[in-house]
Amino acid sequence: MTEGRIVKVSGPLVIAEGMREANMFDVVRVGEQNLIGEIIEMHGDRASIQVYEETAGIGRGDRVVSTGAPLSVELGPGMMENIYDGIQRPLVAIKNQVGPNITRGIDLPALDREKKWYFEATAKRGDRITGGDVYGIVRENEVVEHKIMAPPGTRGRIEELLSGYYTVTDTIGKLDTDEGEVPITLMQRWPVRKARPYKEKLPPNEPLITGQRNVDSMFPVAKGGTACIPGPFGSGKTVVQHQLAKWSDADFVIYIGCGERGNEMTDVLQEFPGIADPKTGSSLMKRTVLIANTSDMPVAAREASVYTGITIAEYLRDMGCSVAVIADSTSRWAEALREMSGRLEEMPGEEGYPAYLTSRLAQFYERAGMVKCIGSDDRIGALTAIGAVSPPGGDISEPVSQATLRIVKVFWGLDSALAYRRHFPAINWLNSYSLYKDRLAPWYEKNIAADWMDQITEAMRILSAEAELDEIVKLVGIDALSASDRLTLDVAQSVREDFLQQDAMSPDDSFCPPEKQHDLLGLILYFRDAAACAIEGGADIDAISTLPVRERIGRAKSAPTADYKREYAEIRTEIDAELSAIGGGR
Amino acid sequence: MYREYRTIEEVAGPLMLVRDVDGVKYDELGEIVMPDGEIRRCRVLEVNGSDVLVQLFEASSGLNLEYSKVRFTGHGVQLPVSREMLGRVFNGMGEPIDDGAKIIPEAVRDVNGTPINPAARKYPSEFIQTGVSTIDGLNTLVRGQKLPIFSGSGLPHANLAAQIARQAKVRGTDEKFAVVFAAIGITFEEADFFISDFKKTGAIDRTVLFINLASDAAIERITTPKMALTAAEYLAFDCNMHVLVIMTDITNYAEALREVSAARKEVPGRRGYPGYLYTDLATMYERAGRREGSDGSITMIPILTMPEDDKTHPIPDLTGYITEGQIILSRDIYRKGYLPPVDVLPSLSRLKDKGIGEGRTREDHSGTMNQLFSAYARGKEAKELMVVLGESALTPIDRMYAKFADEFEARYVNQGFYEDRTIEQTLDLGWELLHILPKSEMKRIKPAILEKYW
């Protein structure tokens, strides 16, 4: 174990000498308070250390001890429903021990060492095991069947394996390997800066269903895909992120609050347990892990928090599950990089960000993907990464947004003008995009409706026609438009207000299953077709614009999900009836 | 008792380098003994071998490398706190300046505070009635929220903040807010306005004032808000009081930070502000809130003037990313003579949804709020179109919206600084204005609510 002495302290950066024996990225304990830090640079026997806690009170000559291991997370039963800080310290346990404020130097294990889990062995004595193979399962809660897997790199034969009640550190069996007998435990460790291995990456081909019309219908993200949400403050980034965390049909959700508000994490903690997962009926919290490194918590741990989150996600993916990682916000993470880089006196790149910003971001997003997991049963797992970006002034020409856009495949651009109009989610339909759209079309056409893509294309066409017509209206006024153009404007308004707008607070609209999304858009397009016929038949556009049924279409999205079909059928009948009453219709 | 060093090597701007020190810790508070015996304070910014770089809290004038001495106190910057602070006036370093008795401390606190464990926060949800329609009705404030006022030079943000401090109450309780007021580099006149307003209404007895005026050392501004928040935390979390913290002007604070950063030759972020401005502001703003184990709360109203009224300037921009919404003042509305000149559309309260509705305000609050917002937005668009094309180019419905926007500004926004409206009055006024529009336009209001209140 290497022990050095501090020579320099500058905020979260500490330089110690006498560290020649230590490894890069080793975790060290700093000073009398045993603050946790990580070596990020070595110069001769001087190590530059980023400290994950406030360094006030640290001075020259204080001791630095290397633990000899890189920053790692504990992976095993007990992660679900938990809330961790950026270096996986359990916040609830910390609260119980030291009260409502986080004091320094506290060191509690991430996984509860006391709790006993029932382990049910599925492998047996004599089985040959390689990394990723499943020893057995632990029912962590009603919805989570936690597979206990051999850590990557394992190779051997089971000597002994017994079902029973164990803590995460108990020996549950023995493995006979080339290096001799190795105990088997429920828990494993993995260094956060290293991606967990997989056999093969596969192209994603299935959408992550989120129940959000802007996402599923307009700009879908694939299971195993990457997406980003840039937007100025007040444009509703956090609400979109929360909605995705709530309703995504992933098996697990990892929500990383990185440099954001404390109350937002509290909100998740209070709200999620009370919401039922549409898939399992159990509380949403049962499948959620929270990583909270709020903006008032030390900045270096913020840098680590996204790695902590994605490593936990990779482990869950290795069980053959679909995992969604939602990081809010990657800009704060980039700022933490910038701060450390500045203190290391590195040559800055654009806007003071370090030159390696893009490669670090790419490394993070590349850990997403649909993969064939290690282990002999060829499980398929998917890790979807969704990152919020907070561009200064909402201007996405800044480095973090631009670097992110070069990597991710889906862009949900939030627009403050829409937010001012209280059009939520304020995703701009003209500049957002999804590169998965075509790849996912077959899935939607097979599983939801054959005309899924046709409808979406039609809706997009109407919306872009509206943008063009708006220009004309601004110049010459609405009266100069033909009746069919005015109908296009009316329908576009309907698509915007009655389809794209979605109320996160309304119980019947917060989650909209894909079938309902399809039928709702179908309803609007049905009105368009019927009204177009009516216009040809000589009906007056002013009369069409003011038909009472349009109000009913406006409320169609909040029809109870259980029997919306009846309501939609009635609306269709009413459309026909009202149109024929004004001398059109079919 | 403490070792004194006569090894001051350099003084440049707010920074000072001391050589050959021993056992000095990062962030430690130091005292400089001037040749005439005067004591000035400083703080360790960097320990590098046996050198320490310190930041002065006061002006460097009169400092003499030969005869000044430095000693280090073994602890960080602290503030003695007590309930007796209510009604008293302090300078930016936390020393009484009102000729009153010395504060006998009940506790001594480090001014940096410690982060609140997010698992120990209580989500703010109690409605605060400020009596201002644009806030209560549309951008509702709740206990424990941090809601800044984004203003511009020459706009009456001080009057609005004083109005909130005067009128704010949680309904159904008699508890009054204790007010902690931090003046950060503002003019004597502005500070005097607040003090005399607090005196006039009797609020002064439950107010703690920390005053750093424009004429005081700029560098002292860095500690002023921390002092104020340390006092507020004591009153809220130790004494279970509900505390309203008003801090003005954050722009001066950020500029003082920039000064120190520039003196240290750090790599600047946007517009010369240090890259850690976000983190620095966040550690300040995040001290607002409620937490387990205490009934008290800190509600924070920071005020900042946006340079050139530019919302994308780093100070308002980063503030907006941290705080739970913002109240934006508008020069256009002010020119029309409407007070308080709140620009409704870009203003926002993120916590409003948990604070309004049945049992808290009234069941129709949420629906009417959304309807007013979207109607006003559409009305403003219609008015813009009217400027280009003339009134006749508008459809009849857009003409109604334009009329609505005018009336909304004249009656809902405009209420003056001395009218205290209850939430019912605000909501009823909202309904009255919505009657300018046909009932079929009320798409954002639930049918049942619409039937009941229309």
Side-chain angles (χ1 to χ4, degrees):
Chain A
M1 202 171 287
T2 316
E3 192 175 315
R5 297 277 160 193
I6 290 176
V7 290
K8 180 176 175 179
V9 186
S10 169
L13 178 77
V14 165
I15 296 180
E17 58 185 12
M19 301 292 290
R20 185 173 278 279
E21 305 286 301
N23 304 316
M24 270 295 274
F25 295 112
D26 270 2
V27 171
V28 295
R29 306 309 292 255
V30 178
E32 281 162 40
Q33 289 103 327
N34 270 324
L35 308 184
I36 301 171
E38 185 184 16
I39 298 178
I40 52 172
E41 256 183 25
M42 299 283 282
H43 299 279
D45 75 339
R46 284 190 169 207
S48 302
I49 296 158
Q50 65 172 347
V51 182
Y52 292 130
E53 295 176 85
E54 172 59 47
T55 50
I58 298 290
R60 182 168 71 114
D62 285 359
R63 206 166 51 120
V64 173
V65 182
S66 165
T67 58
L71 184 66
S72 303
V73 286
E74 294 185 352
L75 303 163
M79 291 190 297
M80 292 301 130
E81 300 179 65
N82 227 323
I83 175 166
Y84 294 113
D85 79 349
I87 48 175
Q88 215 204 6
R89 289 183 300 182
L91 288 171
V92 174
I94 290 181
K95 175 183 79 179
N96 295 338
Q97 189 169 350
V98 298
N101 289 49
I102 301 173
T103 44
R104 296 189 295 158
I106 198 155
D107 190 15
L108 287 170
L111 298 180
D112 190 343
R113 292 289 189 271
E114 310 289 318
K115 189 167 168 73
K116 289 203 172 206
W117 302 96
Y118 183 72
F119 167 74
E120 196 183 325
T122 52
K124 57 184 188 308
R125 200 187 153 170
D127 283 359
R128 295 218 159 266
I129 293 288
T130 58
D133 282 347
V134 177
Y135 289 127
I137 55 164
V138 165
R139 276 185 208 286
E140 193 165 337
N141 57 41
E142 302 94 290
V143 291
V144 176
E145 225 173 56
H146 197 117
K147 291 195 177 84
I148 305 301
M149 300 171 289
T154 311
R155 184 169 288 277
R157 201 164 49 83
I158 297 179
E159 187 67 34
E160 191 186 310
L161 188 67
L162 288 173
S163 301
Y165 285 92
Y166 299 104
T167 68
V168 286
T169 47
D170 284 345
T171 304
I172 59 172
K174 288 184 196 121
L175 196 67
D176 190 20
T177 70
D178 294 346
E179 286 87 47
E181 217 165 67
V182 177
I184 303 171
T185 56
L186 294 181
M187 180 184 95
Q188 50 177 286
R189 283 176 202 275
W190 191 261
V192 297
R193 294 187 194 278
K194 195 172 155 194
R196 283 174 68 89
Y198 49 83
K199 273 188 188 155
E200 184 186 349
K201 232 176 202 177
L202 307 168
N205 56 11
E206 198 183 302
L208 182 77
I209 297 298
T210 63
Q212 310 304 303
R213 290 187 288 269
N214 275 281
V215 175
D216 298 347
S217 294
M218 307 302 282
F219 310 106
V221 60
K223 280 189 175 133
T226 51
C228 74
I229 317 175
F233 67 84
S235 57
K237 259 192 316 297
T238 304
V239 176
V240 174
Q241 295 267 61
H242 281 198
Q243 286 294 92
L244 294 174
K246 276 180 201 166
W247 307 121
S248 289
D249 71 338
D251 299 313
F252 298 105
V253 173
I254 316 290
Y255 192 93
I256 309 171
C258 171
E260 287 291 308
R261 305 177 185 89
N263 277 332
E264 285 173 4
M265 299 314 291
T266 316
D267 188 22
V268 174
L269 274 177
Q270 285 188 350
E271 203 183 352
F272 276 31
I275 303 174
D277 185 345
K279 209 164 72 165
T280 62
S282 263
S283 144
L284 275 180
M285 202 61 202
K286 302 271 179 208
R287 50 135 204 190
T288 309
V289 184
L290 300 176
I291 311 285
N293 214 92
T294 55
S295 53
D296 55 340
M297 285 155 81
V299 65
R302 194 193 298 167
E303 193 266 337
S305 63
V306 299
Y307 296 108
T308 301
I310 204 146
T311 309
I312 294 176
E314 282 176 336
Y315 169 78
L316 297 168
R317 171 205 70 192
D318 287 347
M319 295 183 189
C321 294
S322 154
V323 189
V325 171
I326 294 170
D328 186 13
S329 138
T330 55
S331 294
R332 303 301 163 224
W333 170 78
E335 278 169 13
L337 274 188
R338 174 167 73 181
E339 186 170 343
M340 288 316 295
S341 162
R343 302 223 184 236
L344 288 167
E345 291 165 10
E346 292 172 337
M347 183 68 81
E350 225 177 322
E351 286 192 21
Y353 287 103
Y356 46 78
L357 171 71
T358 315
S359 60
R360 291 280 175 90
L361 268 172
Q363 274 166 20
F364 169 74
Y365 282 108
E366 266 305 289
R367 288 172 78 168
M370 179 128 125
V371 301
K372 197 183 276 179
C373 307
I374 54 167
S376 35
D377 58 352
D378 283 348
R379 301 180 295 262
I380 303 291
L383 199 173
T384 315
I386 299 167
V389 184
S390 318
D395 172 12
I396 60 163
S397 65
E398 56 94 37
V400 183
S401 305
Q402 286 304 312
T404 308
L405 284 178
R406 286 215 297 277
I407 305 158
V408 301
K409 300 278 192 294
V410 182
F411 167 66
W412 297 310
L414 295 175
D415 189 334
S416 55
L418 290 175
Y420 294 167
R421 267 190 269 156
R422 295 311 188 256
H423 173 109
F424 286 118
I427 294 174
N428 185 317
W429 51 89
L430 293 176
N431 68 10
S432 301
Y433 59 79
S434 164
L435 300 181
Y436 296 116
K437 218 169 190 168
D438 295 329
R439 184 184 283 283
L440 297 175
W443 186 93
Y444 281 114
E445 283 165 1
K446 182 164 164 263
N447 293 286
I448 310 295
D451 62 344
W452 176 275
M453 277 313 281
D454 299 340
Q455 276 199 13
I456 305 293
T457 315
E458 190 54 29
M460 283 306 290
R461 206 192 54 73
I462 292 170
L463 289 170
S464 48
E466 182 197 30
E468 280 166 28
L469 289 172
D470 267 347
E471 296 295 311
I472 300 173
V473 171
K474 277 197 190 118
L475 290 176
V476 294
I478 191 123
D479 294 331
L481 294 185
S482 67
S484 72
D485 282 345
R486 283 192 53 192
L487 177 65
T488 304
L489 285 185
D490 278 345
V491 175
Q493 186 195 359
S494 187
V495 173
R496 279 188 286 113
E497 294 181 1
D498 308 335
F499 183 73
L500 292 180
Q501 282 185 19
Q502 192 167 357
D503 186 356
M505 302 296 157
S506 152
D508 284 308
D509 198 28
S510 187
F511 174 79
C512 184
E515 295 79 14
K516 189 174 166 190
Q517 299 185 19
H518 170 265
D519 294 353
L520 180 58
L521 189 55
L523 191 64
I524 294 167
L525 293 175
Y526 180 83
F527 171 77
R528 197 270 314 259
D529 293 343
C533 272
I535 288 173
E536 266 174 40
D540 178 29
I541 179 69
D542 282 326
I544 293 176
S545 294
T546 50
L547 283 183
V549 73
R550 294 197 59 206
E551 203 186 321
R552 201 164 166 196
I553 298 175
R555 297 192 195 281
K557 61 182 168 191
S558 44
T561 306
D563 62 350
Y564 73 90
K565 279 192 196 281
R566 195 169 46 86
E567 168 73 7
Y568 286 14
E570 275 177 28
I571 294 177
R572 283 184 184 229
T573 326
E574 199 175 319
I575 291 172
D576 290 338
E578 285 183 11
L579 281 172
S580 50
I582 58 165
R586 310 188 251 208
Chain B
M1 48 181 215
Y2 298 116
R3 276 181 68 177
E4 289 191 339
Y5 299 98
R6 309 187 72 137
T7 47
I8 301 175
E9 178 84 17
E10 270 176 37
V11 181
L15 301 181
M16 186 172 87
L17 186 72
V18 189
R19 291 226 185 273
D20 299 324
V21 297
D22 190 35
V24 176
K25 309 292 187 190
Y26 174 69
D27 209 31
E28 196 172 333
L29 176 71
E31 291 176 341
I32 305 162
V33 186
M34 305 289 285
D36 61 358
E38 187 196 337
I39 288 181
R40 291 187 190 166
R41 286 190 279 183
C42 59
R43 180 178 76 110
V44 178
L45 274 189
E46 188 176 295
V47 180
N48 192 358
S50 59
D51 300 346
V52 289
L53 182 71
V54 299
Q55 172 203 326
L56 304 174
F57 284 129
E58 285 139 288
S60 56
S61 59
L63 247 172
N64 181 310
L65 301 190
E66 201 56 41
Y67 302 110
S68 305
K69 291 174 283 190
V70 193
R71 59 183 181 227
F72 295 91
T73 58
H75 58 75
V77 185
Q78 293 175 326
L79 178 74
V81 287
S82 156
R83 252 168 277 233
E84 301 297 313
M85 293 174 98
L86 288 169
R88 301 290 303 272
V89 186
F90 301 84
N91 69 8
M93 289 299 292
E95 292 149 347
I97 49 169
D98 57 354
D99 307 322
K102 234 184 138 201
I103 296 289
I104 300 161
E106 289 166 14
V108 178
R109 293 284 154 86
D110 189 296
V111 298
N112 287 320
T114 45
I116 302 184
N117 187 332
R121 278 183 189 266
K122 287 196 275 189
Y123 200 77
S125 61
E126 284 164 301
F127 168 67
I128 296 176
Q129 181 178 301
T130 63
V132 180
S133 289
T134 42
I135 298 178
D136 291 351
L138 303 174
N139 299 291
T140 317
L141 179 69
V142 296
R143 252 185 198 168
Q145 185 173 11
K146 37 192 178 294
L147 188 65
I149 298 176
F150 287 8
S151 180
S153 324
L155 292 177
H157 45 262
N159 302 58
L160 177 59
Q163 184 178 20
I164 294 171
R166 199 165 52 229
Q167 299 177 350
K169 54 181 157 294
V170 171
R171 308 219 312 160
T173 63
D174 298 332
E175 291 170 75
K176 284 278 190 183
F177 280 94
V179 178
V180 173
F181 177 76
I184 308 164
I186 60 173
T187 59
F188 166 76
E189 278 158 58
E190 202 174 344
D192 187 59
F193 165 78
F194 277 102
I195 296 174
S196 50
D197 195 85
F198 290 149
K199 277 191 182 146
K200 208 161 57 194
T201 56
I204 194 82
D205 295 333
R206 47 187 173 88
T207 301
V208 190
L209 294 118
F210 290 85
I211 308 281
N212 166 278
L213 294 181
S215 54
D216 295 332
I219 213 71
E220 226 180 275
R221 278 163 212 164
I222 294 182
T223 47
T224 311
K226 293 185 176 138
M227 293 287 165
L229 286 165
T230 307
E233 277 175 354
Y234 180 75
L235 294 174
F237 302 134
D238 288 67
C239 308
N240 294 320
M241 296 167 107
H242 294 288
V243 185
L244 183 68
V245 179
I246 297 175
M247 301 195 290
T248 176
D249 178 329
I250 299 296
T251 307
N252 296 335
Y253 170 80
E255 265 160 20
L257 269 188
R258 178 164 70 175
E259 193 180 326
V260 175
S261 169
R264 292 187 70 182
K265 301 189 172 59
E266 289 172 331
V267 178
R270 283 173 72 212
R271 298 218 186 177
Y273 290 95
Y276 50 80
L277 182 62
Y278 176 84
T279 307
D280 196 279
L281 290 174
T283 43
M284 189 161 85
Y285 295 140
E286 280 288 320
R287 290 170 81 170
R290 314 196 56 185
R291 63 187 203 194
E292 286 177 12
S294 164
D295 294 329
S297 66
I298 296 180
T299 309
M300 196 189 286
I301 302 188
I303 299 171
L304 56 89
T305 45
M306 300 181 279
E308 295 165 47
D309 294 352
D310 176 11
K311 197 160 69 91
T312 64
H313 183 278
I315 302 170
D317 188 50
L318 295 179
T319 299
Y321 274 121
I322 306 161
T323 52
E324 285 136 352
Q326 66 277 336
I327 303 291
I328 297 187
L329 301 190
S330 148
R331 219 168 275 282
D332 283 343
I333 306 238
Y334 185 54
R335 278 199 205 105
K336 287 183 191 164
Y338 298 152
L339 297 175
V342 174
D343 196 353
V344 168
L345 294 181
S347 296
L348 168 75
S349 163
R350 290 166 191 271
L351 303 183
K352 61 179 184 300
D353 297 310
K354 304 269 155 90
I356 62 175
E358 207 172 351
R360 299 191 197 89
T361 53
R362 211 167 70 184
E363 52 178 350
D364 56 326
H365 194 157
S366 170
T368 48
M369 176 182 75
N370 289 327
Q371 192 67 57
L372 286 169
F373 264 124
S374 67
Y376 180 51
R378 180 149 172 208
K380 278 189 86 167
E381 270 170 32
K383 282 180 67 182
E384 272 167 33
L385 209 60
M386 210 157 88
V387 173
V388 184
L389 298 170
E391 197 175 340
S392 57
L394 296 186
T395 57
I397 190 83
D398 275 342
R399 239 168 279 160
M400 283 186 220
Y401 272 108
K403 175 159 182 271
F404 170 84
D406 285 336
E407 288 284 309
F408 177 82
E409 286 177 3
R411 296 174 57 198
Y412 198 92
V413 177
N414 183 28
Q415 71 174 90
F417 290 119
Y418 292 93
E419 188 182 334
D420 187 357
R421 292 182 186 158
T422 65
I423 182 65
E424 284 79 13
Q425 286 170 330
T426 294
L427 290 173
D428 292 344
L429 179 60
W431 280 108
E432 209 181 305
L433 290 167
L434 287 175
H435 269 91
I436 296 172
L437 303 168
K439 194 174 171 186
S440 58
E441 289 295 308
M442 301 295 123
K443 285 188 182 179
R444 309 249 172 172
I445 304 176
K446 286 205 180 89
I449 302 274
L450 190 59
E451 287 314 313
K452 187 168 164 192
Y453 289 91
W454 184 255

